[in-house]
Amino acid sequence: MKRVLTILFLLFPFLSSCQPKTFLTDRTLELCQYIPDHVLKPEAKEAMTPDFFWALSEAFDAPVADYVEIGDNEWLWYFVTGNGGSKPVYSVKSVAQTARNSARAIVTVLQRWEDGTETDAKEYEVLLKRIDGKWLLDDFDGKKAECHSYVRQVRKKYASGEYVKYLESAEDLKEYVPDFQARVKAFYEKYGE
């Protein structure tokens, strides 16, 4: 009996912090509305962990030399819907609390097009983290790591001068060099060297 009570005493903090599945399902659906699709909404900051919002913000803000062509940042515009379509429809396939302050969900995203057709539903992994008692979006299908990798690549191109060389390589692009350099300077001021 003493052993059983000891085990229950040790498990009580974890068990008492577990959220009902319906709560985590509802919270996941609420948080999915802040997943970027063409733009990172400022109000997403309140729905995401600071690390995830910073990674997304830095990736979205990183200037590229896309003055006349599609740039290296195009992948950021299509987190969910792909090229076109209307607002995605989310549903939670499964959700589980994986630790006291973390949870993992598999969400299904259905894309409805303007003509009424629908794409095949796709599944994504959503990670949640509880900070100060509030469940927040901590990652979406590995995008946090993708953003970090992308920013590293873009910063290498700043350091090597690759973007500036590209702009200087054509007469019709040279005029954009001062604007691009100013944008890079502002980026460094905001996110650091």
Side-chain angles (χ1 to χ4, degrees):
M1 180 70 164
K2 186 176 179 182
R3 180 175 279 163
V4 171
L5 289 174
T6 303
I7 291 171
L8 288 174
F9 178 76
L10 293 172
L11 289 175
F12 181 75
F14 177 75
L15 294 174
S16 65
S17 68
C18 288
Q19 294 290 331
K21 195 171 189 173
T22 54
F23 172 84
L24 286 174
T25 298
D26 292 345
R27 183 62 176 158
T28 300
L29 287 174
E30 180 184 343
L31 292 172
C32 282
Q33 303 310 311
Y34 297 99
I35 293 169
D37 182 35
H38 290 72
V39 66
L40 176 62
K41 300 173 188 173
E43 58 270 21
K45 186 173 186 175
E46 300 303 316
M48 296 180 179
T49 61
D51 289 347
F52 191 37
F53 187 79
W54 180 269
L56 292 172
S57 179
E58 188 175 15
F60 271 90
D61 286 350
V64 296
D66 60 344
Y67 292 94
V68 294
E69 297 180 1
I70 293 170
D72 295 338
N73 57 355
E74 184 188 18
W75 70 277
L76 290 167
W77 313 141
Y78 309 124
F79 260 47
V80 179
T81 63
N83 197 359
S86 60
K87 191 173 181 177
V89 178
Y90 297 95
S91 60
V92 176
K93 182 177 179 179
S94 65
V95 64
Q97 192 167 344
T98 56
R100 183 177 185 180
N101 291 314
S102 61
R104 177 183 178 269
I106 301 298
V107 297
T108 302
V109 181
L110 182 68
Q111 181 63 51
R112 291 196 176 118
W113 297 81
E114 289 81 10
D115 65 2
T117 60
E118 296 179 347
T119 60
D120 292 334
K122 294 183 180 177
E123 290 183 1
Y124 299 91
E125 179 184 56
V126 173
L127 300 180
L128 307 176
K129 192 174 197 178
R130 184 168 40 193
I131 297 177
D132 296 329
K134 189 174 181 181
W135 286 97
L136 302 172
L137 188 62
D138 191 43
D139 203 354
F140 176 80
D141 219 31
K143 295 299 181 188
K144 190 190 304 186
E146 273 187 61
C147 286
H148 288 308
S149 175
Y150 168 72
V151 169
R152 278 192 303 275
Q153 292 171 14
V154 171
R155 284 174 175 265
K156 284 180 185 176
K157 291 181 180 185
Y158 299 157
S160 71
E162 182 177 330
Y163 284 134
V164 172
K165 288 174 192 169
Y166 163 74
L167 292 171
E168 290 175 338
S169 70
E171 278 303 315
D172 60 333
L173 295 176
K174 285 182 181 179
E175 66 181 283
Y176 298 111
V177 171
D179 175 68
F180 178 74
Q181 289 173 326
R183 289 171 51 217
V184 170
K185 181 180 178 188
F187 174 78
Y188 280 139
E189 286 171 359
K190 184 173 181 180
Y191 296 100
E193 296 286 331

